[in-house]
Amino acid sequence: VTVTYYPDRNVSLINTHLIAGAWGCKSETAKRRDYWHQAWKVLKQQVAREHDRGRNVIVTGDLNRPRSANRCNPAWDPTSLHRRAQIIGGHSIDYIFAVPAAGKRFALARDKQGNVRRGSIDIGIDSHDAFWVRGKFANKAKK
């Protein structure tokens, strides 16, 4: 887990790469799942630590766990990362989460047609692209 804090924007950026093979049907999945759960716990703790400091948080990473269930990957909720987490980008096993600080929300940028401004860049490494999304942390609307 790598954390970078940008005080002028009150945003902590967190990036991670969890162990591969834990949620596939290959060998030694029990050991890999144990490692995966340990890493997930550390990631959750770091997100909570940054959020508890009053910071907005963006989390990116290759979690090596699909969003949807299959015979080797039981159903799970990736937003269990934090009670305020929402998935804002990524694809398959690659994720981008926003975790707004208290009193904030994450607003996705949209083009003139109303489409979310997001995409990917081919980085030429295995089957992964670098995913991106545009948006900003904004004050929650008052009721």
Side-chain angles (χ1 to χ4, degrees):
V1 174
T2 303
V3 180
T4 305
Y5 176 58
Y6 295 89
D8 56 323
R9 295 181 183 254
N10 193 38
V11 174
S12 290
L13 299 180
I14 299 176
N15 182 263
T16 194
H17 190 149
L18 302 187
I19 190 166
W23 306 104
C25 297
K26 297 184 179 173
S27 63
E28 298 186 37
T29 57
K31 185 176 184 180
R32 290 172 186 265
R33 285 183 185 183
D34 182 50
Y35 290 152
W36 190 95
H37 283 293
Q38 288 177 47
W40 181 247
K41 181 179 176 183
V42 169
L43 179 61
K44 288 174 72 166
Q45 289 170 341
Q46 189 61 51
V47 170
R49 185 176 298 122
E50 296 303 306
H51 189 268
D52 289 348
R53 292 174 174 161
R55 299 172 178 173
N56 295 300
V57 182
I58 294 289
V59 179
T60 61
D62 176 349
L63 299 187
N64 273 310
R65 187 166 185 182
R67 290 161 167 78
S68 58
N70 59 42
R71 68 184 179 93
C72 300
N73 179 44
W76 74 299
D77 179 8
T79 62
S80 66
L81 177 67
H82 189 275
R83 63 182 170 76
R84 303 218 49 216
Q86 62 190 83
I87 299 171
I88 58 171
H91 177 73
S92 183
I93 60 175
D94 299 310
Y95 294 77
I96 305 172
F97 297 91
V99 185
K104 298 287 186 176
R105 63 183 175 82
F106 189 82
L108 292 163
R110 297 185 180 274
D111 63 19
K112 291 178 183 178
Q113 291 76 38
N115 300 311
V116 173
R117 296 187 67 186
R118 65 172 57 134
S120 63
I121 300 166
D122 179 6
I123 56 176
I125 302 172
D126 56 40
S127 62
H128 295 274
D129 288 340
F131 293 95
W132 59 270
V133 61
R134 289 193 183 168
K136 66 180 179 179
F137 289 101
N139 291 327
K140 277 188 172 180
K142 295 186 180 188
K143 295 179 182 180

